Amino acid sequence: MPKKVRELKKILQKAGFTLLPRRGKGSHSYWIHPRLPTPVVLSGKDGQDAKPYQEKDVIAALEQIEGLNGGNQ
């Protein structure tokens, strides 16, 4: 069962990501982390099911942070 977009946002927030202010129209949200060069972009409203690629993007970003911290998070 896919996660909801709101669940992915909570995961990012707990991992230290910050939501950038709105960038134009639409339901895209941009999440940045001080240790990563590119933002994680999520589209969709909070109650919608997340797309598989969105879940993979979040997991990849979390793994990148873990790698930078040496697994100490």
Side-chain angles (χ1 to χ4, degrees):
M1 185 170 180
K3 293 187 183 317
K4 298 289 183 186
V5 172
R6 85 170 61 85
E7 293 176 83
L8 295 182
K9 290 179 179 180
K10 284 182 186 178
I11 291 169
L12 290 173
Q13 196 170 21
K14 284 183 180 181
F17 283 79
T18 306
L19 177 63
L20 286 177
R22 284 208 164 267
R23 295 179 157 199
K25 292 183 180 180
S27 59
H28 288 75
S29 60
Y30 295 80
W31 294 83
I32 59 168
H33 192 278
R35 310 262 333 249
L36 296 180
T38 58
V40 175
V41 180
L42 294 178
S43 62
K45 295 182 181 175
D46 286 350
Q48 292 178 325
D49 288 344
K51 306 285 187 213
Y53 73 86
Q54 292 174 312
E55 290 189 46
K56 288 178 186 176
D57 288 349
V58 169
I59 291 168
L62 296 176
E63 287 173 350
Q64 264 189 300
I65 293 169
E66 256 183 55
L68 292 172
N69 291 335
N72 295 334
Q73 191 170 0

